[in-house]
Amino acid sequence: MRKIHVAHSPDADDIFMYYAMAFGWVGSEGFRFENEALDIETLNQKALQGFYDVSAISFALYPHVRSEYALLRTGVSFGEGYGPKLIKKRDTKLKRNFKVALSGRYTTNAMLFRIAYPEARITYKNFLEIEGAVLSGEVDAGVLIHESILRFDESLVVEREIWEVWQELAKESLPLPLGGMGIRRSIPLHAALKVEDLLMQAVAVARKNPKRLSQMLHERELLRVKDEELERYLNLYANERSISMDEEQLKALDRLFAIGYEHQIYDERIKVEDFLLPKEYEELRRS
């Protein structure tokens, strides 16, 4: 059996989408999957090293790793009228050079934030530490991501939604690309296509059996989100559109990559279709 090392974040959406496979709800087809859960910026840094066979990544990172990883169509998270939040203490007025905590240099929210607030003084932290840094006064503001956006201290308010920044930069109404998955190009193409299909099946099965899967994950203490918040969170970031990217999502990714190129973050403007696994390969191989 071929071992495939899958890395994902410990956040509810990634765990929910991966563990249908770990629990054997979909077949392995000759693969043995091993997983590791790490925060998203650590995953981004590991992807820059080509460390894992399959890895969750921030979409904003992808152009930097395109030579090492192909982009998978499944396991994706987009914001649709929502997303990361820039928060501050109530009654605080932010200066142009305010100090802010972000969840990582290569995250999508960090890229959009830096474009919108070029004079802000940035420090990077694990996303679980950002709310506390704002409350303690270590920073003036912070961008909350993942389940942190659902519930934070009453003394904090939203200064701006990153969704709003995205809409202004995109100049049209498109879903906000947040995170996806990449697969190493060193894996033979026919094997990579099978892995993508298995992951796609896992996400689809998870969406069909949310209550049972949630119970199993809670029993193993794999979730940080409480029962009453889990369904809401999964509907945001592990929904039906997470199974396989559609045309609108692909268009949004192209716009994100174009914005990054226009602001000299990327060395080349790329089109996402050129970096997906070719679905037609198996048909050509059999013909």
Side-chain angles (χ1 to χ4, degrees), residues 5-7 47 52-57 59 62 65 68-74 180-185 187 195 199 275:
H5 205 159
V6 180
Y52 295 109
D53 295 322
V54 178
S55 182
I57 57 172
F59 276 131
Y62 184 71
V65 298
E68 294 295 328
Y69 286 87
L71 197 58
L72 296 181
R73 294 174 176 82
T74 193
M181 302 194 78
I183 187 165
R184 283 176 59 187
R185 295 188 182 278
I187 296 174
V195 170
L199 287 169
F275 295 89

Side-chain angles (χ1 to χ4, degrees), residues 1-281:
M1 298 183 74
R2 185 185 183 101
K3 183 174 75 172
I4 300 291
H5 205 159
V6 180
H8 56 81
S9 80
D11 310 305
D13 53 336
D14 275 14
I15 286 180
F16 192 81
M17 291 189 282
Y18 172 79
Y19 266 83
M21 177 181 290
F23 291 151
W25 291 6
V26 297
S28 60
E29 295 190 23
F31 297 100
R32 178 165 60 88
F33 292 95
E34 294 184 0
N35 74 303
E36 186 162 358
L38 297 165
D39 73 274
I40 188 60
E41 184 60 10
T42 299
L43 293 176
N44 288 337
Q45 295 288 345
K46 291 287 188 181
L48 286 167
Q49 302 167 28
F51 196 85
Y52 295 109
D53 295 322
V54 178
S55 182
I57 57 172
S58 297
F59 276 131
L61 173 78
Y62 184 71
H64 298 298
V65 298
R66 65 186 186 276
S67 63
E68 294 295 328
Y69 286 87
L71 197 58
L72 296 181
R73 294 174 176 82
T74 193
V76 299
S77 295
F78 283 73
E80 300 185 48
Y82 50 82
K85 300 175 184 293
L86 176 63
I87 54 98
K88 64 177 185 178
K89 286 183 180 178
R90 194 181 303 275
D91 300 324
T92 296
K93 185 175 181 179
L94 298 178
K95 299 178 181 179
R96 292 174 64 179
N97 67 337
F98 66 95
K99 189 173 182 181
V100 64
L102 304 181
S103 54
R105 177 190 176 107
Y106 291 104
T107 57
T108 305
N109 72 83
M111 184 185 106
L112 297 175
F113 177 89
R114 290 196 305 271
I115 293 171
Y117 298 94
E119 296 181 57
R121 291 171 292 146
I122 298 171
T123 184
Y124 295 108
K125 291 182 174 292
N126 184 295
F127 85 96
L128 292 171
E129 301 172 349
I130 291 177
E131 180 180 349
V134 180
L135 289 171
S136 70
E138 179 185 352
V139 294
D140 303 311
V143 175
L144 300 183
I145 64 171
H146 300 318
E147 57 262 37
S148 297
I149 69 170
L150 299 180
R151 177 170 37 90
F152 46 87
D153 194 273
E154 293 182 356
S155 66
L156 302 176
V157 294
V158 176
E159 167 75 6
R160 196 177 184 190
E161 300 274 356
I162 299 301
W163 165 260
E164 296 171 3
V165 175
W166 163 247
Q167 291 293 287
E168 290 175 11
L169 291 171
K171 296 182 173 60
E172 59 181 309
S173 183
L174 289 169
L176 166 59
L178 294 170
M181 302 194 78
I183 187 165
R184 283 176 59 187
R185 295 188 182 278
S186 58
I187 296 174
L189 185 52
H190 70 278
L193 285 163
K194 287 182 180 179
V195 170
E196 180 178 56
D197 183 62
L198 290 170
L199 287 169
M200 201 173 292
Q201 289 180 45
V203 178
V205 168
R207 285 301 307 165
K208 290 180 181 178
N209 301 275
K211 291 184 178 179
R212 182 182 174 195
L213 181 56
S214 298
Q215 180 182 353
M216 294 174 71
L217 293 172
H218 275 300
E219 289 171 352
R220 291 160 176 79
E221 298 182 344
L222 291 168
L223 295 175
R224 294 187 298 244
V225 182
K226 296 179 181 179
D227 286 335
E228 60 270 23
E229 295 175 337
L230 182 60
E231 182 178 1
R232 178 184 170 199
Y233 183 72
L234 294 177
N235 285 336
L236 294 178
Y237 294 124
N239 51 49
E240 292 299 319
R241 297 185 79 184
S242 298
I243 299 171
S244 182
M245 281 193 282
D246 57 34
E247 290 301 317
E248 185 182 41
Q249 290 170 325
L250 294 173
K251 183 179 180 182
L253 269 178
D254 281 339
R255 188 69 195 110
L256 179 72
F257 297 156
I259 290 168
Y261 177 70
E262 290 161 7
H263 288 84
Q264 301 181 329
I265 294 166
Y266 306 136
D267 62 353
E268 184 180 337
R269 180 171 178 170
I270 66 172
K271 300 287 287 184
V272 66
E273 286 282 1
D274 296 331
F275 295 89
L276 300 173
L277 295 177
K279 287 184 175 181
E280 65 276 8
Y281 172 78

